[in-house]
Amino acid sequence: MDTMMRAWVQDRYGNAAATTLRRVTVPTPGKGDVLLKVSATALNAGDIRVMSGDPYLVRLAFGLRRPRNPVRGMDVAGVIVDVGPGVDTSLIGTEVIGELSGGGLAEYVITALKRVVPKDPRIEPAIAATVPVAGGTAWQALHHGKVKAGDRILVIGASGGVGTFTVQLATDAGAEVWALCGESNRSLVESLGAAQTFDYRSTDAGDLPKSEFDAVIDIAGTAKLRDLRRLVRPGGSVVLVSGEGGRVFGPIGRLIRAFLLSIRSTRPIRPLAATAKPEVTSAILERVAAGSVVPVIERTWPLDQAQAALARVESGRTVGKVVVIPD
Ligand SMILES: NC(=O)c1ccc[n+]([C@@H]2O[C@H](COP(=O)([O-])OP(=O)(O)OC[C@H]3O[C@@H](n4cnc5c(N)ncnc54)[C@H](OP(=O)(O)O)[C@@H]3O)[C@@H](O)[C@H]2O)c1
């Protein structure tokens, strides 16, 4: 068993340049934990928020001067190579997948066993790693919006990690999807199942037909709340997955406005705070194995280039997911 490993460590909040590749000690699993040899780590906008400590509100939860966990990477596929007290040693060798609290941009990572689920060996680790955060958020957004077969929904921000899962899961559930995305991504989003697509740079949410949708899933977070609400039929809802805001409080102002607009409204605006749900990861992986959901991967990067991968996600221009694989 290795005692040292490579990991991308940050000692301060900042952009991708704040991370450095170091040799550090392989961690020891505590009670209820397992040690994973990392097979693949998918990156998320959430990794960038924690890396940069932006908005400042993030720092209250993750550490005032630097993130308490210095290694980014929440979406991890790996193999159990050691277990802590209270965990069955027969699990060693099991391939698993899960949303961790960080640490995936390394050769080994510790996680509580309860955060991971077995990975179907037929699914490549890089593909499985895309599922927990982005797929789980998409799943929870559709659930939050009570989306069902026969509904017509609008997905705003359809080409990113969360968006590409949202379009596919909604289509798989029998909903008709309209989508706002960049012009260059329209054909991709249509290939994922969208019936109609619009270029967000030339079409505002407010330009689309009023009272047309059973749910609007706003992943981009830039449209006016009143415009979003007008798109929804009475009885439908707007789900806010994301929201732009200031450097200090982030989307808090938008969330308060959403709350006020929703009082006694027949078209409520529902903010989403997605959480790690291993059972949802398993449910999506079943669809991946069956071929009804095909995760979109923009590019895989070797671990020694993970800083460039973080910078790419930081750009906000990724199509589908960015995945890092230990070389
Ligand atoms: N509420 C929660 O619990 C939760 C959970 C997970 C993620 N999130 C949030 O969800 C957001 C999206 O995450 P993600 O991983 O999908 O991001 P992402 O992969 O970085 O999204 C990038 C994509 O968004 C597109 N885009 C950017 N601005 C747009 C706009 N105004 N309209 C339409 N498309 C736009 C880009 O297209 P172009 O290249 O054409 O610009 C790009 O393809 C993030 O803000 C993240 O923090 C929230």
Side-chain angles (χ1 to χ4, degrees):
M1 169 76 100
D2 297 332
T3 55
M4 299 296 285
M5 66 174 188
R6 290 175 303 151
W8 284 92
V9 179
Q10 63 177 126
D11 300 320
R12 60 180 171 89
Y13 285 112
N15 61 17
T19 62
T20 48
L21 186 59
R22 296 209 190 120
R23 285 191 73 74
V24 298
T25 309
V26 173
T28 306
K31 190 162 180 253
D33 290 342
V34 293
L35 177 68
L36 306 184
K37 188 169 189 346
V38 176
S39 310
T41 296
L43 299 179
N44 288 283
D47 289 308
I48 304 304
R49 290 210 186 286
V50 178
M51 180 177 77
S52 58
D54 182 6
Y56 287 129
L57 202 58
V58 162
R59 304 182 188 201
L60 284 181
F62 289 89
L64 288 183
R65 292 181 178 282
R66 65 182 78 89
R68 274 185 285 277
N69 182 339
V71 181
R72 306 280 57 80
M74 299 184 286
D75 267 341
V76 179
V79 181
I80 297 176
V81 291
D82 196 7
V83 300
V87 180
D88 188 347
T89 53
S90 71
L91 290 173
I92 290 173
T94 308
E95 289 187 63
V96 294
I97 170 78
E99 177 182 339
L100 318 187
S101 56
L105 290 181
E107 289 172 300
Y108 295 89
V109 64
I110 295 275
T111 176
L113 176 62
K114 64 181 180 203
R115 291 192 81 132
V116 295
V117 289
K119 180 186 80 60
D120 183 333
R122 290 173 300 170
I123 303 173
E124 287 292 318
I127 291 173
T130 64
V131 168
V133 173
T137 302
W139 179 289
Q140 290 173 63
L142 294 170
H143 187 256
H144 218 46
K146 302 182 169 57
V147 174
K148 58 185 185 315
D151 282 356
R152 174 177 293 161
I153 72 163
L154 175 67
V155 178
I156 305 178
S159 58
V162 177
T164 49
F165 276 108
T166 306
V167 172
Q168 294 190 75
L169 288 168
T171 306
D172 189 49
E176 180 186 306
V177 176
W178 293 24
L180 271 169
C181 58
E183 180 64 28
S184 59
N185 296 320
R186 287 179 62 189
S187 54
L188 166 79
V189 172
E190 284 162 16
S191 76
L192 300 176
Q196 303 229 33
T197 58
F198 304 88
D199 175 11
Y200 77 87
R201 292 184 178 87
S202 56
T203 306
D204 271 348
D207 299 333
L208 294 172
K210 311 285 174 277
S211 300
E212 186 70 29
F213 302 99
D214 297 288
V216 172
I217 312 292
D218 180 24
I219 302 164
T222 54
K224 292 194 187 89
L225 293 178
R226 284 185 190 280
D227 284 346
L228 294 176
R229 211 170 56 142
R230 280 189 205 111
L231 297 172
V232 174
R233 296 180 182 132
S237 62
V238 176
V239 177
L240 297 185
V241 175
S242 181
E244 292 207 334
R247 181 99 175 98
V248 178
F249 294 112
I252 296 290
R254 188 173 165 90
L255 297 180
I256 292 170
R257 283 196 301 282
F259 172 76
L260 294 174
L261 279 172
S262 300
I263 294 172
R264 285 197 285 273
S265 172
T266 55
R267 293 167 297 173
I269 303 173
R270 304 178 198 274
L272 173 73
T275 53
K277 291 191 186 294
E279 70 281 10
V280 169
T281 299
S282 295
I284 299 172
L285 283 174
E286 280 172 23
R287 287 160 176 74
V288 173
S292 57
V293 171
V294 180
V296 177
I297 296 181
E298 175 186 280
R299 180 171 169 184
T300 57
W301 300 73
L303 182 62
D304 61 5
Q305 291 177 33
Q307 192 181 57
L310 283 165
R312 176 65 186 151
V313 177
E314 207 172 8
S315 76
R317 304 295 314 276
T318 50
V319 179
K321 300 296 299 174
V322 166
V323 181
V324 173
I325 300 180
D327 25 14

